[in-house]
Amino acid sequence: MSRVGKAIPDLLDRVVYVAAYCCVDLPNMAAYLETPENSESLFPQLTAAMVADPAVLGVSRLNWRSADPAVFQGVKAALAGDFSDEGVNRLLNMLEPDETAGIPMAEARGQAETWGRIPRTYVRFTLDRLVPPALQDRFINEADRLTPDNLTDVRSVAAPHFGPFDRPELVDIFAELASR
């Protein structure tokens, strides 16, 4: 989102982060993985689903449908903590196995003169164990420090990382933002 806002700020009315990385002080997603605010992340549990070397493939390939019950439990804990097993299986049916390996290393900082002019909303997932609330708060605080005249509109939803399934909170937030 920050990279898009930096590239085309005049084409955006608002950027909305939903339990997402909002890099400001550090250059990219990978740098934030090493921060104290990320220490409680269950991201390492997802690496058990990794099936190939990203340096060779150019993608991070995950076998979301592994027969290993530990992989299933790790994915459930990291992404969908309060889902039933049926709900986790529904989630797994929607996930792609490949993600571009370069995304976590790409420069993604928002800049005050471009991205920082755009109104922004950050939807915090308070039960998120992939992007912990402490890290989400760090993103919000860094953004607000960079653009004190354009503070982040913060909303909180009691949900895990993929938690809005069957819950109206996100729909209500987006509907309210769209009506502005």
Side-chain angles (χ1 to χ4, degrees):
M1 294 300 305
S2 303
R3 290 178 70 188
V4 172
K6 190 164 46 173
I8 55 168
D10 296 329
L11 298 179
L12 302 175
D13 291 328
R14 173 172 297 277
V15 291
V16 181
Y17 295 85
V18 180
Y21 280 74
C22 178
C23 304
V24 175
D25 289 352
L26 301 178
N28 53 44
M29 293 170 58
Y32 283 95
L33 293 176
E34 303 302 321
T35 64
E37 294 85 358
N38 196 55
S39 65
E40 295 184 13
S41 174
L42 297 184
F43 177 79
Q45 293 192 26
L46 297 182
T47 61
M50 183 93 46
V51 294
D53 182 354
V56 173
L57 293 181
V59 297
S60 296
R61 179 163 293 160
L62 295 134
N63 179 7
W64 297 113
R65 291 309 211 158
S66 170
D68 183 348
V71 171
F72 181 87
Q73 291 305 317
V75 168
K76 181 176 182 175
L79 301 179
D82 65 347
F83 282 28
S84 66
D85 286 356
E86 179 184 325
V88 174
N89 281 316
R90 197 171 91 196
L91 167 65
L92 294 175
N93 287 334
M94 295 187 293
L95 297 177
E96 294 290 330
D98 293 346
E99 183 173 309
T100 303
I103 290 173
M105 301 301 292
E107 170 64 47
R109 282 180 279 212
Q111 296 176 330
E113 59 276 359
T114 54
W115 164 88
R117 300 188 329 237
I118 307 164
R120 68 186 166 271
T121 296
Y122 196 104
V123 182
R124 297 173 67 253
F125 285 173
T126 62
L127 304 176
D128 196 329
R129 298 185 71 198
L130 183 68
V131 183
L135 184 57
Q136 295 175 59
D137 292 341
R138 178 177 176 157
F139 295 139
I140 295 162
N141 293 333
E142 287 180 5
D144 288 351
R145 189 173 59 251
L146 181 66
T147 61
D149 294 329
N150 181 25
L151 298 178
T152 308
D153 169 39
V154 179
R155 313 297 179 92
S156 294
V157 176
H161 192 71
F162 278 103
F165 293 156
D166 304 324
R167 294 185 179 137
E169 294 99 321
L170 271 186
V171 173
D172 293 344
I173 290 169
F174 286 129
E176 187 264 319
L177 291 173
S179 69
R180 286 186 177 180

